[in-house]
Amino acid sequence: MAEFKLSGLSCAHCAQEMETRMRKLKHGEDAKIMYNSGKMVISDKMAMADVEKILQQEGVAASPMAGGHEDHDHNHDHGDTSLIVQIAISTILFFVAMLTDKYLPTWGTFSIYFVAAALSGYQTFFKGLKNLFRLKFNIDTLMTVALVGAFIIGDWGEGTVVAILFGVNEYLEGFGMRQARKSMAALLKVVPKTANLLKDGVTSEVPIDQLRLGDTVLIRAGDKVPSDATIVDGRSSVNEAAITGESMPVEKQVGDALFGGSVNNEGTLKAEITAIYADSSLAKILHLVEEAQETKTPTELFIDKFARYYTPIIMLFAVLVTIVPPLLFGGAWSHWVYEGLAVLIIGCPCALILSSPVAIVSGITRSAKNGVLIKGGVFLEQLAKTKQIAFDKTGTLTEGKPVVAKEITYDDANFFQISGMMEQSSSHPIAKAIMDHIGDTKLAEMEQLTTVGGKGLGGTFEGKQYFLGNEQQIPEASWTDQARVDVAQLKQDGYTVVITASENTILGMFGIQDALRKESKQLVQQLHHEGITNIIMLTGDHEKTAEKVAKQIGIDNYYAGLLPEDKLTKIQQLHDQNGNIAMVGDGINDSPALATADLGIAMGKGTDSAIEVADIVLMQDHLGKLPLTVKIAKKVRFVVGFNIAFALGLKILALLLALTGYLTLWMAIMADMGATIIVTIFGLSILFRTKAEKELQ
């Protein structure tokens, strides 16, 4: 398949028509025109001359996209510049005709108005004329009939204004999508073009699509990482904002993973390529966001269907407005023909069609800049309607690694020393937690250390036996009543207990728990503020641990002791009881529950499993951006609703004026253009990120 960038594509309806016609060409079954991203994908076998012929009929030009992305950033389409010049000349001619009307013969005034109208409206006229012959009724057909009708009944000036303002309207219709595409193009700028390939001690610059797995690349200070890789030499801080939305640099050293598109801040790194560019996290993200823009929401599908029937109905209504008053009530034909033409103009569905896609694309693009990938407008719309969210505990609300949260010491002189000596050589996560708690203390080695499966450790030092582990590992002779009370209390409080003892006394004990994420408590508060009424925690831990975590962070409901299949069942139950539910997990062991939920939200810095399993992916490995994403989704939903109501409301008001005979062509075109401008501005307003949002980490 070949990809092309389209310029001059400003009409969603036209894009659909061109795609339909292309699919009728030889080898064109899979042809696709993506209006929101301004792209065309066709088979390599298609005759380009036939494709270009279809594009040219709509004033659209195609240019190849090298390497799957644009080589240059085109800020302005040539077609737009041409249209603006035509509109400017038409406007000047209109004022010339209006000011010289008294001094020129009729044919002279008519000629100037005709040239002015033709300059702005000739493309619309020819498209509309073809549609009339095909009995195809769309926006161009409406405008053509209105334009020709105005000139026939002698309203040359108003006919010219219709042509000029429709030209402006056509420009504005594409303006919103152009701005949304530019915002998306800013994401594309992070794509590296070349890499410094290191082979046999020699560095050479190569295009990134020539990199292969296992190649070693040199990444100098200020360079972009060409593709996903692992550091084999050097250390530096790396800016991963383009991938994760994280504004603070991340320290990297040998063995750490690098994301393609991230920027090396200082020093020089050598890295081994772990994914060719097409399979890299960055390429997947950009492809995912691009695809998301083309996914239609239920609202958009409804508008598309509504617009198909709406245009013919408007034409029928215009005919009735034109003929009924003169035939049945003795109205003047000239007046009601004029009103009928005004109905055709106000009936143009431009604003209605634009009411949703600009807002949806803006919401998806803004979220992507924040490091949150939404796989389609349908999921953005779903998030806005969701009132309950379920969270997996381990690795989601918690760090997924144990820490010492509490300690009880009976022997200050020996407790930390003996515990450290026994745990310092172990790689177990709990041993690491204990060593982190004890600190960087130089400790002697145990003379003899053995592991007792399921219980803990035993060791000898200076001829004395020591024990570390759970209650079963501690000799009966070491226990005191107070120690038993303390262990029971720690367990009651939800801690995992690790005890250190000698042959005849307990030295002390650690209360271990899974560390809460710093943002978890604030997250719950913010989600409540955004209208999420039921926040649920699902965990495989026992009841007391779950209760403790739920109280600490303000969870509404929690369910403990759940296996992965139990989580799936619980999600189904919650959906049946309370309606739509979102599930937040790590995208690996929570896959069944994520898939079952109405909306799956996965965590993880661009891991393949997370991207594939979820509907929404939080690229940073924390939850800080979730409340903001909910807020954006709600704003998109509000803007779409307002735009639809405003566009339809304005048209209904104008149609009522037409029925009373007070609607003019000027009012009709200004109302239509005003609606287009307002829905576009409202849609684009979603793109604006606050200063606090940009700084959010």
Side-chain angles (χ1 to χ4, degrees):
M1 302 295 283
E3 292 188 359
F4 296 84
K5 185 69 182 172
L6 300 179
S7 57
L9 185 65
S10 60
C11 167
H13 184 70
C14 305
Q16 287 179 348
E17 287 187 346
M18 288 191 293
E19 183 180 289
T20 302
R21 289 165 64 191
M22 283 182 194
R23 289 188 172 185
K24 293 177 182 177
L25 298 175
K26 192 175 181 181
H27 305 299
E29 301 84 6
D30 299 320
K32 188 184 291 185
I33 291 182
M34 293 176 274
Y35 170 66
N36 291 346
S37 50
K39 275 180 60 177
M40 174 177 72
V41 181
I42 59 173
S43 168
D44 296 319
K45 298 177 181 178
M46 287 185 74
M48 199 59 202
D50 294 336
V51 173
E52 286 178 342
K53 187 177 179 182
I54 293 172
L55 294 174
Q56 285 166 4
Q57 288 173 351
E58 299 293 342
V60 177
S63 54
M65 293 176 65
H69 57 266
E70 296 174 74
D71 289 329
H72 304 285
D73 181 25
H74 298 288
N75 289 324
H76 301 281
D77 289 331
H78 299 301
D80 295 333
T81 307
S82 174
L83 182 59
I84 291 169
V85 170
Q86 288 171 8
I87 291 169
I89 295 171
S90 293
T91 305
I92 293 168
L93 289 173
F94 168 76
F95 282 111
V96 168
M98 192 171 65
L99 294 172
T100 60
D101 185 31
K102 295 177 182 178
Y103 312 105
L104 292 175
T106 304
W107 65 266
T109 305
F110 172 82
S111 299
I112 297 173
Y113 277 132
F114 181 81
V115 172
L119 266 174
S120 292
Y122 75 92
Q123 286 183 326
T124 301
F125 173 76
F126 286 121
K127 289 177 190 174
L129 206 59
K130 286 178 185 175
N131 290 336
L132 272 175
F133 285 121
R134 298 174 190 161
L135 296 178
K136 187 177 178 184
F137 303 109
N138 62 10
I139 298 165
D140 295 318
T141 317
L142 292 180
M143 288 302 109
T144 299
V145 173
L147 187 61
V148 172
F151 269 84
I152 288 173
I153 65 174
D155 284 312
W156 309 330
E158 292 197 35
T160 303
V161 171
V162 168
I164 292 171
L165 291 183
F166 187 68
V168 173
N169 202 41
E170 198 173 41
Y171 174 80
L172 290 172
E173 186 185 347
F175 176 78
M177 289 313 303
R178 285 193 296 273
Q179 293 304 114
R181 287 174 197 148
K182 282 180 188 176
S183 186
M184 177 59 192
L187 292 175
L188 292 170
K189 286 179 183 176
V190 304
V191 178
K193 304 288 190 298
T194 60
N196 295 313
L197 180 63
L198 191 62
K199 203 168 188 178
D200 300 325
V202 179
T203 304
S204 58
E205 190 172 320
V206 299
I208 59 167
D209 54 8
Q210 290 186 15
L211 290 177
R212 296 292 176 263
L213 294 178
D215 282 352
T216 301
V217 292
L218 194 69
I219 308 164
R220 301 185 180 94
D223 284 355
K224 289 175 183 174
V225 178
S227 189
D228 293 357
T230 301
I231 298 174
V232 294
D233 185 39
R235 62 183 300 148
S236 177
S237 66
V238 176
N239 184 343
E240 296 181 339
I243 316 298
T244 67
E246 173 64 73
S247 58
M248 293 298 290
V250 181
E251 294 296 327
K252 300 281 186 176
Q253 58 187 354
V254 173
D256 287 344
L258 297 171
F259 291 120
S262 55
V263 180
N264 180 21
N265 286 334
E266 75 271 338
T268 300
L269 298 174
K270 290 180 184 177
E272 183 179 307
I273 298 296
T274 55
I276 59 173
Y277 174 72
D279 296 330
S280 69
S281 297
L282 178 61
K284 287 181 179 179
I285 290 167
L286 297 177
H287 180 66
L288 195 153
V289 175
E290 201 168 66
E291 277 193 339
Q293 293 182 79
E294 303 303 325
T295 307
K296 287 187 179 289
T297 67
T299 303
E300 286 181 293
L301 292 170
F302 169 76
I303 290 171
D304 287 348
K305 192 173 182 179
F306 178 76
R308 276 203 300 272
Y309 299 104
Y310 169 84
T311 307
I313 290 170
I314 283 293
M315 290 202 74
L316 179 61
F317 185 75
V319 170
L320 293 175
V321 167
T322 302
I323 65 174
V324 170
L327 290 177
L328 300 183
F329 304 105
W333 278 100
S334 59
H335 176 75
W336 289 103
V337 167
Y338 179 89
E339 288 296 320
L341 295 175
V343 168
L344 288 179
I345 293 168
I346 197 63
C348 172
C350 298
L352 184 63
I353 291 169
L354 276 177
S355 58
S356 184
V358 174
I360 293 287
V361 171
S362 295
I364 290 171
T365 304
R366 178 173 167 185
S367 298
K369 286 183 176 179
N370 289 332
V372 179
L373 302 184
I374 301 172
K375 290 188 176 180
V378 63
F379 304 120
L380 197 64
E381 195 170 275
Q382 187 86 299
L383 182 61
K385 293 188 282 189
T386 298
K387 295 294 182 185
Q388 58 176 347
I389 299 181
F391 289 86
D392 170 57
K393 181 183 82 72
T394 306
T396 304
L397 292 172
T398 66
E399 295 282 0
K401 61 179 182 180
V403 293
V404 175
K406 195 167 183 178
E407 65 183 54
I408 298 174
T409 307
Y410 305 120
D411 185 339
D412 292 331
N414 295 312
F415 177 43
F416 287 126
Q417 181 187 6
I418 297 300
S419 298
M421 288 168 63
M422 296 187 77
E423 294 282 41
Q424 64 185 344
S425 59
S426 173
S427 59
H428 193 281
I430 288 180
K432 189 176 185 306
I434 290 172
M435 293 308 298
D436 288 343
H437 184 70
I438 291 171
D440 296 329
T441 306
K442 290 188 176 180
L443 299 168
E445 294 286 334
M446 273 280 171
E447 293 166 4
Q448 189 179 354
L449 190 66
T450 56
T451 300
V452 182
K455 295 181 180 181
L457 300 170
T460 305
F461 181 66
E462 294 181 347
K464 196 172 183 179
Q465 285 277 333
Y466 292 97
F467 306 88
L468 182 146
N470 58 30
E471 296 159 88
Q472 294 175 305
Q473 178 65 357
I474 308 305
E476 190 65 33
S478 302
W479 286 98
T480 63
D481 290 342
Q482 183 59 48
R484 292 192 185 278
V485 169
D486 289 340
V487 167
Q489 187 59 52
L490 286 173
K491 292 174 75 174
Q492 177 73 16
D493 291 342
Y495 295 108
T496 298
V497 182
V498 176
I499 307 161
T500 305
S502 65
E503 297 166 322
N504 50 26
T505 184
I506 292 179
L507 306 178
M509 57 188 73
F510 298 102
I512 309 289
Q513 71 173 20
D514 190 359
L516 285 177
R517 289 182 179 272
K518 294 176 183 177
E519 71 270 18
S520 291
K521 187 173 182 178
Q522 186 182 17
L523 164 83
V524 172
Q525 292 172 348
Q526 289 174 332
L527 287 175
H528 279 141
H529 183 261
E530 293 301 332
I532 305 299
T533 54
N534 189 24
I535 299 176
I536 306 133
M537 182 178 74
L538 307 178
T539 179
D541 284 344
H542 57 76
E543 182 77 16
K544 289 299 178 184
T545 301
E547 182 184 9
K548 180 181 175 65
V549 172
K551 281 183 179 178
Q552 281 181 306
I553 62 179
I555 292 288
D556 297 311
N557 292 291
Y558 67 89
Y559 301 93
L562 301 177
L563 297 171
E565 55 268 28
D566 298 328
K567 290 180 184 179
L568 185 150
T569 305
K570 184 57 67 177
I571 288 289
Q572 290 172 328
Q573 288 175 356
L574 289 165
H575 171 84
D576 294 340
Q577 290 168 11
N578 307 314
N580 285 1
I581 183 169
M583 168 72 186
V584 184
D586 60 17
I588 303 169
N589 58 355
D590 298 313
S591 297
L594 285 169
T596 303
D598 299 284
L599 198 63
I601 304 172
M603 298 179 63
K605 291 191 174 184
T607 58
D608 289 345
S609 56
I611 287 176
E612 286 166 12
V613 76
D615 306 313
I616 297 175
V617 182
L618 307 174
M619 295 303 291
Q620 282 178 255
D621 201 24
H622 68 66
L623 297 159
K625 298 287 175 67
L626 183 56
L628 176 61
T629 308
V630 173
K631 189 173 185 177
I632 291 170
K634 287 181 179 294
K635 183 172 183 181
V636 169
R637 189 186 184 198
F638 170 78
V639 167
V640 169
F642 173 85
N643 283 352
I644 292 170
F646 181 77
L648 285 177
L650 207 59
K651 291 183 188 304
I652 291 168
L653 182 63
L655 292 173
L656 290 174
L657 282 174
L659 287 174
T660 58
Y662 290 107
L663 183 66
T664 67
L665 291 179
W666 294 74
M667 290 165 61
I669 195 71
M670 289 304 292
D672 184 55
M673 187 172 72
T676 300
I677 291 171
I678 287 172
V679 301
T680 299
I681 289 172
F682 261 63
L684 289 176
S685 70
I686 296 167
L687 281 171
F688 299 125
R689 300 162 75 207
T690 63
K691 186 178 179 182
E693 182 180 337
K694 291 176 183 176
E695 292 173 353
L696 181 65
Q697 296 174 13

